[in-house]
Amino acid sequence: MAGKSKSDSKTAEKGKDKGKGKAGGGGGGGGDDKDGAAGSSKLKPATSINVRHILCEKHSRSQEALAKLRDGVKFDEVAREFSEDKARQGGSLGWKTRGSLNGAFEKAAYELEPSTTAKPGYVEVKTGFGYHIIMVEGRK
């Protein structure tokens, strides 16, 4: 029974994250309970992640970037074309420890499973900086 709920919650979380990112990532401080549950059910707890992102000031531009990703363009290529920040190396922010990122960004990033730029798993989150499309390459 527990095995079924893992896969069901995994599917629900992915869909929820993508929709939630658009509506507003300002989620509030009660995330510890959910984060703990997500960490124990599908991912080992991590103290740092190797993260990439695409930052767009406007929602319409982030939607263009998402369309490219859905079409199979590599994450780093989309980041070079669409990201509006200093992470020019394919959106790479490098290894980041817990507490070093914006709250909404960090919460979403630590819930992602590692993936590759060729087949990225990603989520969209809105912060005060704009619209982020986030992927994680590694966890430790």
Side-chain angles (χ1 to χ4, degrees):
M1 199 164 173
K4 287 182 183 177
S5 66
K6 279 184 189 178
S7 63
D8 292 345
S9 65
K10 181 178 175 181
T11 305
E13 279 181 22
K14 281 191 175 183
K16 199 189 289 184
D17 284 345
K18 286 184 182 178
K20 192 174 185 181
K22 283 198 285 187
D32 289 333
D33 295 331
K34 184 180 175 194
D35 191 36
S40 64
S41 68
K42 75 175 195 178
L43 291 173
K44 291 182 181 178
T47 55
S48 63
I49 53 174
N50 188 5
V51 65
R52 288 181 184 263
H53 80 143
I54 299 166
L55 173 63
C56 301
E57 203 173 298
K58 295 187 178 190
H59 186 256
S60 59
R61 187 155 170 87
S62 72
Q63 293 306 300
E64 290 177 41
L66 284 168
K68 290 267 190 180
L69 290 171
R70 283 187 209 108
D71 288 343
V73 181
K74 287 184 173 183
F75 192 94
D76 53 337
E77 292 173 14
V78 177
R80 283 188 201 97
E81 183 180 345
F82 287 90
S83 194
E84 299 168 7
D85 75 337
K86 293 182 250 177
R88 297 282 177 211
Q89 297 161 345
S92 179
L93 297 175
W95 286 95
K96 297 293 179 183
T97 57
R98 278 196 193 269
S100 67
L101 297 165
N102 171 281
F105 183 106
E106 183 171 288
K107 184 178 184 315
Y110 273 90
E111 290 177 358
L112 281 172
E113 291 188 34
S115 59
T116 64
T117 57
K119 291 191 117 188
Y122 53 85
V123 65
E124 182 185 14
V125 175
K126 184 178 186 329
T127 70
F129 298 101
Y131 297 88
H132 302 264
I133 303 166
I134 307 166
M135 73 159 288
V136 171
E137 289 186 291
R139 299 168 58 88
K140 58 182 178 180

